[in-house]
Amino acid sequence: MTCNIVVSYYNNQNFIKLLNVFEEKFLHSHVAIIYNKSEEELKNNFMQIKLDNIGREGETYLNHIIQNYDNLSEYTIFIQDDTNNHLPDYDKFIRFCDNVITQKKKFALYPAYWKQNGSVVKRRIIDGIFDLHTFPSKNAIKLCCQEHNIYLPKEYTTETCAFFICHKSSILIHDKEFYINLRSWLLSNISNGFVLEHVWKLIFSDANLIPLKR
């Protein structure tokens, strides 16, 4: 079993502590890839790839999928750099990921904390409508799903902050062009990054195997 840990890094190095714990517990079965969107090179032994600082963590995740579409690891763990805000318990997060792999689940969003010393935030979306001040419009989720032919249930609940683990079969539900188009959409409006955070659960759902009418 192969597993990549994809890190979207800009200015917070707390995630290195998490990677060290992963390395200690799993030795070489988990390979970390740091996508560096800062202006300086990190001093550590993990793989680093330089990226332009655009599109928030969503662009990092999509870039990884696009560039590795034909050579994905069996599982990929996607994380942001500010783990101190979102993951108060690193061991708990690692157990969560290990459980997903052990039980051969296809996708799972981690119930991350919204901010340090805060609490877990989950949001209930009905008909693709959610009124959030960071969204370009309250029907932004619905419009995103319509534009990219993503299955939208009548109602769903999603975790926030975009820490998740995904089996490659769930990524390959969509063709490479889907992710290229999604990245273009993401970069067309800075607010779309906040929308995408609420759509990951839908993107990797098996419901997308059902042919949808455009």
Side-chain angles (χ1 to χ4, degrees), residues 190-206:
I190 192 171
S191 296
N192 285 343
F194 299 102
V195 181
L196 184 58
E197 183 181 322
H198 295 73
V199 181
W200 289 120
K201 178 177 279 188
L202 305 182
I203 290 171
F204 299 120
S205 167
D206 280 346

Side-chain angles (χ1 to χ4, degrees), residues 18-94:
L18 174 62
L19 296 187
N20 287 334
V21 176
F22 262 111
E23 190 172 60
E24 178 184 338
K25 289 182 177 294
F26 296 100
L27 298 177
H28 300 292
S29 63
H30 290 58
V31 178
I33 305 172
I34 302 171
Y35 287 94
N36 190 341
K37 293 187 169 184
S38 74
E39 296 180 355
E40 59 182 330
E41 184 174 351
L42 290 172
K43 296 180 179 180
N44 57 61
N45 296 322
F46 298 109
M47 182 188 305
Q48 291 184 54
I49 298 175
K50 189 78 172 92
L51 286 183
D52 292 333
N53 184 27
I54 55 176
R56 298 171 54 83
E57 80 283 343
E59 191 278 335
T60 305
Y61 298 175
L62 291 171
N63 181 80
H64 176 82
I65 291 171
I66 293 166
Q67 297 303 321
N68 297 277
Y69 188 83
D70 296 317
N71 191 34
L72 292 164
S73 59
E74 187 171 357
Y75 278 95
T76 307
I77 300 168
F78 296 88
I79 67 172
Q80 301 180 48
D81 60 359
D82 57 338
T83 54
N84 58 306
N85 288 322
H86 303 300
L87 306 178
D89 187 333
Y90 287 175
D91 285 334
K92 184 177 179 180
F93 178 71
I94 289 174

Side-chain angles (χ1 to χ4, degrees), residues 5-16:
I5 306 171
V6 169
V7 183
S8 183
Y9 167 68
Y10 174 59
N11 65 357
N12 189 323
Q13 297 186 26
N14 274 275
F15 72 91
I16 294 175

Side-chain angles (χ1 to χ4, degrees), residues 144 147-148 181-189 192 195-196:
C144 174
E147 180 171 346
H148 299 286
N181 292 335
L182 191 63
R183 180 180 180 275
S184 295
W185 164 84
L186 173 65
L187 296 178
S188 69
N189 186 328
N192 285 343
V195 181
L196 184 58

Side-chain angles (χ1 to χ4, degrees), residues 169-180:
S169 63
S170 291
I171 296 175
L172 296 176
I173 286 173
H174 306 281
D175 60 23
K176 187 175 180 179
E177 192 69 20
F178 168 86
Y179 297 105
I180 293 172

Side-chain angles (χ1 to χ4, degrees), residues 124-169:
R124 181 173 172 231
I125 315 298
I126 300 175
D127 293 326
I129 307 298
F130 194 78
D131 196 2
L132 194 64
H133 72 280
T134 54
F135 280 13
S137 65
K138 65 181 182 180
N139 64 339
I141 293 173
K142 180 179 181 179
L143 293 175
C144 174
C145 291
Q146 289 176 341
E147 180 171 346
H148 299 286
N149 212 27
I150 300 167
Y151 174 74
L152 176 64
K154 174 72 175 177
E155 179 180 333
Y156 73 99
T157 301
T158 185
E159 295 80 0
T160 62
C161 305
F163 284 75
F164 58 86
I165 178 171
C166 193
H167 189 268
K168 67 178 181 180
S169 63

